[in-house]
Amino acid sequence: MRLHVHQWGRGPRVVLVHGGVLGGRETWRAQRPLTARWTLLAPDRPGHGQSPPARQDFEPEAALVADQLLDEPSHLVGLSYGAIVSMYAAALRPEHVRSLTILEPPSTGVAGGVPAVDEYGTAVRALISSDLEPVAALQRFFPIAGVPIEVPDQPHETLVEGMRQLLGGRPPDEAEPPLAALREAGFPVLVVSGGHSEANEIICDTIARETGARRAVCPGRGHLVQDAPEFNALLESFLTSSA
């Protein structure tokens, strides 16, 4: 399978891996100002945008990202489920990772046994495994994830198709990110949360501690950390320091 990749800008390569529901083009709109100084590569994960369909699963998707987008040195940024994909991909080709930025991965397994984290993981798994129609599932999913957008009764078809891809996928609580390998790889790691959810803060704190990462919080847009007012400046500062 070949992933469709959106590309903008000029400068050092930054690979942006989106989460659930929206594809690469829509997810990273707020990062377009960075194109004056960076080449942004935003793949459509399988089943999203213009990439071929496949069941959502972080491990085979990580192999696709590693093989097709880490074929030369790049900064790697992942959001939500895409952050899980990115952690696995970075461990597969660490020699080509200049830096890794992780935005609110729903990797509840890294902090299992903490009530808030377990509740979050159970809610996400139940939704993904449900037989709800995509619109009803989307209306339930956004509050669980912390997306500050009200879903209308007739959402845009892109959202509906994205939710249809999420349903029946591999639940994120099955992920066991290679945190030790990321710590040993030697490239800088940044973990960012949105300051809206106890579970996400605990998950991000745990990943940062286990990988030796820098840790930051960008509030204002909930789970959509990439849209927070302070995020682009934070990311660019990190990328520049990691070059």
Side-chain angles (χ1 to χ4, degrees):
M1 175 190 293
R2 293 296 304 180
L3 297 175
H4 180 80
V5 180
H6 306 272
Q7 179 171 334
W8 313 283
R10 62 178 64 185
R13 286 166 50 109
V14 183
V15 176
L16 305 167
V17 184
H18 67 85
V21 182
L22 289 178
R25 182 171 63 89
E26 295 84 3
T27 297
W28 304 104
R29 288 184 182 275
Q31 280 58 64
R32 297 298 177 83
L34 300 178
T35 58
R37 295 168 298 280
W38 307 88
T39 298
L40 305 184
L41 302 171
D44 288 329
R45 290 174 42 228
H48 295 273
Q50 300 179 56
S51 288
R55 179 178 182 255
Q56 175 173 275
D57 188 326
F58 47 84
E59 289 189 281
E61 291 185 29
L64 293 173
V65 170
D67 291 344
Q68 298 175 31
L69 289 152
L70 297 181
D71 54 339
E72 61 182 271
S74 307
H75 299 279
L76 182 58
V77 182
L79 168 68
S80 192
Y81 202 96
I84 299 177
V85 173
S86 296
M87 286 189 282
Y88 276 86
L92 290 174
R93 296 197 83 167
E95 70 279 7
H96 283 172
V97 178
R98 288 182 167 174
S99 72
L100 172 63
T101 302
I102 301 165
L103 311 179
E104 289 211 352
S107 309
T108 54
V110 305
V114 178
V117 175
D118 289 346
E119 181 180 343
Y120 174 45
T122 298
V124 172
R125 172 179 279 271
L127 179 64
I128 290 176
S129 305
S130 74
D131 57 1
L132 289 172
E133 292 298 316
V135 174
L138 189 66
Q139 290 171 333
R140 186 174 297 181
F141 174 65
F142 275 13
I144 292 172
V147 176
I149 297 173
E150 185 174 347
V151 180
D153 291 335
Q154 294 184 324
H156 193 281
E157 186 60 25
T158 300
L159 294 175
V160 177
E161 287 301 314
M163 191 67 224
R164 184 174 286 116
Q165 172 67 16
L166 187 63
L167 293 169
R170 187 176 182 184
D173 62 0
E174 294 184 6
E176 297 180 0
L179 303 184
L182 297 179
R183 173 185 280 274
E184 295 167 4
F187 49 73
V189 181
L190 172 66
V191 180
V192 190
S193 59
H196 64 101
S197 157
E198 180 184 2
N200 275 300
E201 296 304 310
I202 293 169
I203 292 168
C204 288
D205 286 346
T206 302
I207 292 173
R209 182 177 65 251
E210 295 298 320
T211 60
R214 304 182 197 180
R215 180 74 170 89
V217 179
C218 285
R221 289 293 290 162
H223 188 56
L224 303 179
V225 181
Q226 81 281 8
D227 291 343
E230 303 171 2
F231 177 72
N232 278 358
L234 171 70
L235 178 63
E236 187 160 33
S237 175
F238 177 65
L239 298 180
T240 300
S241 69
S242 304

